Amino acid sequence: MQWSIRQPIGPWATIDRLRLRRAALRYAARGWAVTPGAYLTGDRFTCGRAGCPITGCHPAIECWEDEAATDPERIARWWRHRPYTVLLATGWSFDALEVPAPVGLRALGAVRLHTDVIGPERGDARGPVIITPTGRWLFLVRPGDELRPELASCLDVLRHGRGSWIPAAPSRTPQGPVRWAAAPAQTGWHLPASGTVQAMLLDALGALGRRPQRRVTATVPRQMSTARRAA
């Protein structure tokens, strides 16, 4: 038998597919909608759709948002022959707040040290956290809340809501595996309030010297505007 970090060969291909299917079924059992993603072949992802030009991680089903499911029979059927990446549809059971690694690491450390009060918001901020091999951290939170203006102004901070998806462990990429920094079982599958985690992320940005400023809309007094037009 041979083993490749990027693509299992021989019996390991079956083991890899079964691991991914088992994980997909476990997420679905908690009400997290799952959809199959393109699987890794060498340095690129393959979805099996004729003429698909996408080489990065992406859903294997064209209408993936409509097809995402928690039905165990459908999920077992999807992973019957291929080691599809496990993708979780966001915006239904949870949203995901995506940040760079330094922010995520500091924020998670704050959660573990102080679980009762995080910044100006009160509440339990403990929840599942995903780490991608490209250095992105994804904090799973209750769905529905938009990003605070200060976070929305940061180009490297994203919110995954309706119409988006995230990869989940034990999916693999050319850079390595997706993994949990805080696994759902460790947090009792608890999802914290988005506002609590966003306050925590703002604190982390501030500690790193990146405290974003709230957007301020400048207005011109009516009399000043009139005077300028008359000049």
Side-chain angles (χ1 to χ4, degrees), residues 38-75:
Y39 56 93
L40 196 61
T41 56
D43 290 328
R44 60 169 291 163
F45 287 91
T46 301
C47 65
R49 301 201 306 266
C52 180
I54 305 174
T55 59
C57 185
H58 64 284
I61 301 174
E62 188 170 1
C63 300
W64 66 269
E65 192 174 7
D66 295 330
E67 297 291 333
T70 58
D71 177 50
E73 292 185 5
R74 180 182 295 188
I75 292 169

